[in-house]
Amino acid sequence: MPDSASDLLVARRRKLEALRAGGGSAFPNDFVPDRTIGELVARFGEMDAERLAQQSEEVRVGGRIVGMRDFGKTAFFDLQDRAGRVQVYVKREELGEEGFERYRLADIGDIVAVEGPLFRTRPGELTVRARSFRILSKALRPLPEKWHGLADTEIRYRQRYLDLIANPDVAEVFRKRATIVRRIREFFVARDFIEVETPMMQLLAGGAAARPFVTHHNALDLDLYLRIAPELYLKRLVVGGLERVFELSRVFRNEGTSTRHNPEFTLLEFYMAYADYRRLMKITEELFCELAREVVGGLELRWNEHEIDLTPPWQRLTLHEAVRRHAGASDADLASDGAIRAFAERRGLTFDGSWGGGEILLELFEKFAEAKLVAPTFVTGYPVEVSPLARRSIEDPELTDRFELYIGGREMANAFSELNDPDDQRSRFETQARARAAGDEEAQAMDEDFLLALEHAMPPTAGEGVGVDRLVMMLTNQSSIRDVILFPLLRPPA
């Protein structure tokens, strides 16, 4: 460690020892603010100097010192709490010798308590005149150099607490995230859904095409999987008569990290009996629009380089139409599995020889069309072979009643009319099991317990999953998922 940094640590330790030597607790826990700084500013922020001088009320506030300016027998510092920031004036004559010496033991980063009246300085800044000052928690390490507007992403993500201290905009993102989650709950409760909790450790990893994390239960000597989705448990509840359910769940997928993916993320899933996927389109529009009005203030927003208008109704596009429009395919190119395979090879795609036409069609969509779907778009007409849990379309049994929602070139939701025919579901699971045996680690496992539930009859049902992190990204204009997850997964430091 450089000498200068070491000297700073030693100096702060000495100040802590001086606090301890002064008697009483060096880390007291008996101070209660009478208001937040935000409430203080809201009440007194518009008062002029004369009115402030006339009112005799004193305030009690606590927070972190985030800036200091020393003028010998007087000093100013900036105090920050969860709701705002205010300037504090410290004067030897006000605090007395002993109190002022205690102030001299303070550093940027310390948590302190202040009591006193308010006034305005000559430049007009609202300021607390400290008549009482206490250090509540000594910061033994200084904030990073140039911490104002901390930009080092490595520090920001590994030491999120510093990021939150230094960057008010970051704290605001997570306040908005909390608002979004709260409003999601309110949205579904208002529509007669009930919130439930399903197992995070499961005997089988089902409900999505993803590689799971494996853990082990010692007492039962049993391997378990961290859930990749709550879907199959939520549908069991619909069988049991809980006809409208939702869960805000943490799910885990054993995949890489990027600006779009974190192995642990938040998923909203909801299921509605006596509904189909078309009804969920309407509900999805309502949900996203309510959240946008709450968080953004309207239905027009900016996300990265895109200007997005959420005004419904949103565009509908089949998977075939999207590939024709954005990959340059003709009707003949998509007329059969062989034609799709030949077209994909001409477009330079490489894929497993065992893939069917539906899998290749989806690959063409993801390669050429997905990023171009900037305006809100429901993509429909997904083949059965890539939709093992979705109901077949009556119009075309090779397709399913399913949509995926794309906004800003990113998948935001996946929904379908649920497959409730236990024989068809068993056949789909068997196909998935063969793919799994052939080496596809993301294929669905045979879930006999779920099939047993379906044999007790599940009403016609539609269900949907919404990536909450991506939704927050959109509504707060963030380009990386790491900026909306407080503690994203990172490689250990070198």
Side-chain angles (χ1 to χ4, degrees):
M1 183 180 291
D3 288 344
S4 58
S6 178
D7 290 345
L8 285 173
L9 296 181
V10 169
R12 288 184 178 230
R13 281 281 177 184
R14 286 175 177 165
K15 290 181 178 180
L16 176 59
E17 292 307 315
L19 283 171
R20 286 175 170 154
S25 173
F27 292 88
N29 192 24
D30 59 355
F31 176 79
V32 180
D34 64 4
R35 72 201 75 198
T36 66
I37 292 173
E39 290 167 340
L40 181 154
V41 173
R43 180 174 176 183
F44 300 104
E46 298 300 317
M47 286 190 184
D48 58 27
E50 184 177 352
R51 288 181 64 199
L52 284 174
Q54 290 172 351
Q55 66 93 24
S56 59
E57 182 177 354
E58 295 197 355
V59 299
R60 291 165 47 89
V61 289
R64 187 183 299 274
I65 297 177
V66 293
M68 303 181 81
R69 298 168 294 284
D70 192 354
F71 301 101
K73 295 182 180 182
T74 63
F76 290 90
F77 67 86
D78 298 319
L79 187 66
Q80 178 176 296
D81 71 0
R82 69 181 186 276
R85 182 181 296 190
V86 71
Q87 181 173 259
V88 178
Y89 173 64
V90 180
K91 187 177 182 181
R92 185 183 295 272
E93 294 176 1
E94 294 278 355
L95 291 179
E97 289 295 329
E98 184 177 345
F100 197 73
E101 288 307 310
R102 280 201 304 270
Y103 169 74
R104 291 295 191 193
L105 299 176
D107 291 293
I108 290 177
D110 289 358
I111 306 297
V112 303
V114 175
E115 298 180 46
L118 292 165
F119 74 103
R120 288 200 181 275
T121 59
R122 287 183 183 177
E125 185 168 355
L126 183 67
T127 304
V128 180
R129 186 188 303 275
R131 289 183 175 161
S132 172
F133 173 88
R134 296 171 67 198
I135 296 176
L136 302 178
S137 185
K138 183 69 186 168
L140 298 179
R141 290 183 178 272
L143 297 171
E145 188 68 22
K146 300 180 180 177
W147 68 276
H148 290 280
L150 181 66
D152 187 315
T153 55
E154 187 74 9
I155 294 177
R156 288 184 57 228
Y157 298 144
R158 290 194 189 281
Q159 297 175 273
R160 180 66 86 180
Y161 47 91
L162 295 179
D163 191 23
L164 294 169
I165 295 169
N167 296 319
D169 290 347
V170 171
E172 184 60 22
V173 167
F174 290 103
R175 289 190 181 94
K176 287 181 178 178
R177 180 182 178 116
T179 298
I180 290 166
V181 171
R182 173 177 56 81
R183 293 291 292 128
I184 288 172
R185 285 193 164 97
E186 293 170 352
F187 178 92
F188 284 103
V189 169
R191 287 160 177 78
D192 202 29
F193 285 75
I194 65 169
E195 184 173 6
V196 297
E197 294 179 321
T198 60
M200 296 179 72
M201 293 190 298
Q202 303 178 351
L203 289 169
L204 295 171
R211 182 183 301 176
F213 288 96
V214 185
T215 187
H216 187 78
H217 190 290
N218 292 332
L220 297 178
D221 191 22
L222 185 67
D223 282 342
L224 296 169
Y225 301 94
L226 296 183
R227 67 179 170 200
I228 56 176
E231 175 169 345
L232 300 185
Y233 282 92
L234 291 172
K235 288 196 279 194
R236 286 171 169 90
L237 298 180
V238 177
V239 171
L242 302 183
E243 295 177 346
R244 296 187 178 191
V245 295
F246 76 98
E247 183 172 11
L248 283 158
S249 61
R250 304 292 288 183
V251 296
F252 308 86
R253 297 184 182 177
N254 202 342
E255 58 191 19
T257 61
S258 70
T259 58
R260 297 191 181 200
H261 297 95
N262 192 69
E264 176 184 3
F265 62 97
T266 303
L267 184 66
L268 162 69
E269 285 209 12
F270 63 95
Y271 291 81
M272 184 177 189
Y274 309 107
D276 66 8
Y277 77 113
R278 293 184 179 86
R279 185 164 181 191
L280 294 196
M281 289 183 180
K282 179 67 172 174
I283 290 174
T284 305
E285 289 176 339
E286 292 173 355
L287 173 64
F288 278 50
C289 288
E290 280 197 20
L291 293 174
R293 291 188 183 100
E294 173 81 18
V295 176
V296 183
L299 300 184
E300 296 180 1
L301 56 90
R302 183 171 183 82
W303 190 13
N304 300 323
E305 70 275 17
H306 302 304
E307 299 291 341
I308 294 170
D309 186 351
L310 296 177
T311 304
W314 296 345
Q315 177 180 213
R316 272 74 163 164
L317 197 65
T318 70
L319 197 64
H320 282 78
E321 289 169 343
V323 171
R324 285 197 297 268
R325 181 178 302 180
H326 297 292
S330 66
D331 288 342
D333 291 328
L334 306 181
S336 67
D337 285 4
I340 292 171
R341 182 179 297 274
F343 174 74
E345 289 173 345
R346 292 198 302 274
R347 292 305 313 261
L349 263 62
T350 58
F351 42 83
D352 192 293
S354 65
W355 282 16
E359 291 170 293
I360 299 171
L361 181 69
L362 184 59
E363 188 76 6
L364 284 165
F365 168 79
E366 292 175 350
K367 177 71 173 179
F368 296 106
E370 179 177 318
K372 297 177 182 177
L373 301 180
V374 175
T377 304
F378 291 118
V379 178
T380 62
Y382 283 80
V384 169
E385 64 192 272
V386 295
S387 310
L389 299 169
R391 183 185 185 91
R392 292 180 187 270
S393 168
I394 294 176
E395 291 81 12
D396 185 345
E398 295 304 309
L399 302 179
T400 58
D401 289 340
R402 172 185 174 188
F403 72 77
E404 286 189 348
L405 170 64
Y406 289 85
I407 303 177
R410 303 190 183 194
E411 180 192 344
M412 303 296 289
N414 181 25
F416 36 83
S417 301
E418 300 296 337
L419 176 57
N420 62 346
D421 179 340
D423 295 331
D424 192 356
Q425 183 64 81
R426 179 175 291 278
S427 177
R428 308 266 196 103
F429 276 157
E430 288 171 347
T431 300
Q432 290 284 301
R434 288 191 292 271
R436 193 177 186 85
D440 185 353
E441 296 182 22
E442 296 187 353
Q444 302 266 342
M446 176 67 74
D447 191 332
E448 291 288 353
D449 185 71
F450 176 65
L451 290 170
L452 179 64
L454 286 187
E455 289 175 359
H456 287 84
M458 183 173 78
T461 299
E464 180 169 347
V466 178
V468 173
D469 306 290
R470 288 190 182 176
L471 180 57
V472 175
M473 288 169 65
M474 180 185 75
L475 294 175
T476 59
N477 191 20
Q478 301 299 311
S479 59
S480 173
I481 195 171
R482 293 172 180 169
D483 290 324
V484 299
I485 295 176
L486 281 167
F487 298 102
L489 183 66
L490 302 170
R491 290 182 181 275

